[in-house]
Amino acid sequence: MRGTYIEVDGFTLDPGLLYDPQTHMWVEPRDGGIVRVGFDPLGRETSGDIVSLSFVPVGTVVDRGGSFGDVEAAKLVGPLLSPVAGTVRAHSADALADPGMVNHDPLGAWLVELEPDPGTPPADGLLTGDALPEWFSAEVARFRAKGMIAE
């Protein structure tokens, strides 16, 4: 984990990350304009224990909401949807070798690095800072009402 964290309804969030309300992925801007992408804690929780990950090849261009790979988990088998448009520049060898690391540390376990599409601001539509607690709390309530979060 990186720095100062906040707790929202039993989940730990890093207010320094950007969160996509559509995909439940986080985005971390890095040097050189690259961003890292990983599961936010609620996206990880509602997927169940992650057992397998696969990613599209490095160099693949993905749209926002497009697939950058696949996940197999206890409650989900399906595509990993990108929170930003861009080109895949790297895969996390650690996450590929041990997908379970995402279960234990979703904020520390990045999946892919993307070079964002220069025509699209990478933070467009993403949430951070003061906007996080209200949004995340509402999402927790929504998923609890659907029975998707273990009590």
Side-chain angles (χ1 to χ4, degrees), residues 15-73:
L17 296 175
L18 306 168
Y19 294 83
D20 184 8
Q22 302 301 312
T23 64
H24 278 282
M25 294 285 182
W26 54 257
V27 174
E28 178 188 26
R30 310 281 292 176
D31 290 337
I34 300 295
V35 299
R36 283 188 172 170
V37 175
F39 277 99
D40 81 18
L42 191 55
R44 206 291 314 151
E45 174 72 24
T46 57
S47 297
D49 286 341
I50 294 170
V51 296
S52 177
L53 294 166
S54 64
F55 305 125
V56 298
V58 169
T60 300
V61 175
V62 295
D63 293 326
R64 181 177 178 156
S67 175
F68 66 84
D70 291 298
V71 61
E72 181 179 340

Side-chain angles (χ1 to χ4, degrees), residues 44-125:
R44 206 291 314 151
E45 174 72 24
T46 57
S47 297
D49 286 341
I50 294 170
V51 296
S52 177
L53 294 166
S54 64
F55 305 125
V56 298
V58 169
T60 300
V61 175
V62 295
D63 293 326
R64 181 177 178 156
S67 175
F68 66 84
D70 291 298
V71 61
E72 181 179 340
K75 300 178 191 175
L76 170 73
V77 174
L80 294 163
L81 302 179
S82 183
V84 296
T87 302
V88 176
R89 292 295 176 216
H91 304 136
S92 170
D94 292 339
L96 285 170
D98 179 15
M101 70 185 291
V102 177
N103 300 322
H104 306 293
D105 186 11
L107 296 179
W110 64 277
L111 304 175
V112 295
E113 288 184 339
L114 298 170
E115 181 179 340
D117 180 354
T120 307
D124 192 34

